[in-house]
Amino acid sequence: MRGIYLKLFVPETLRHHGSLLYEWILKQAEAIGIPGGSAVRALAGFGRNGRLHEQHFFELAGELPIIMEFFATDEAINRLLALLAAENHALFYIKFHAEAAIVGE
């Protein structure tokens, strides 16, 4: 299957409509018809400001991103991005054409 791979970087503590933003995005992606998505917490990273963020053992509320990944049709991915833009979320993302398959089929 050919489609679009989308990777979003979402601040882990950012909330939207009473939920963590990444949880809200997963629910919206499912409602749009995107067949699956993942959200994982980064261990360390830096962004535009060049400041290193790292996970610490006793840290209660971190500043690390949640990395979200989706693979779907161009139409579905564009609907998700349009929804995020309409909700005034300025999130960095990477989007490119990709191919997906199951090995052995």
Side-chain angles (χ1 to χ4, degrees), residues 2-59:
R2 292 189 179 274
I4 301 294
Y5 171 83
L6 177 68
K7 181 181 269 192
L8 292 166
F9 296 85
V10 179
E12 68 179 315
T13 58
L14 191 58
R15 298 187 82 79
H16 184 72
H17 295 301
S19 297
L20 290 168
L21 180 58
Y22 72 89
E23 292 173 340
W24 182 84
I25 292 171
L26 286 171
K27 290 176 185 172
Q28 299 308 308
E30 183 180 23
I32 286 170
I34 293 175
S38 298
V40 296
R41 186 172 186 262
L43 294 175
F46 70 93
R48 293 175 287 193
N49 65 7
R51 197 171 120 227
L52 182 64
H53 299 277
E54 295 181 87
Q55 178 178 341
H56 298 286
F57 183 71
F58 293 108
E59 187 175 289

Side-chain angles (χ1 to χ4, degrees), residues 6-11 48 66 81 89-94:
L6 177 68
K7 181 181 269 192
L8 292 166
F9 296 85
V10 179
R48 293 175 287 193
I66 299 296
L81 291 172
H89 289 294
L91 302 173
F92 180 76
Y93 70 90
I94 299 167

Side-chain angles (χ1 to χ4, degrees), residues 1-6 71-72 74 94-100:
M1 172 184 158
R2 292 189 179 274
I4 301 294
Y5 171 83
L6 177 68
F71 181 77
D74 192 46
I94 299 167
K95 177 178 120 173
F96 56 89
H97 295 273
E99 182 176 322

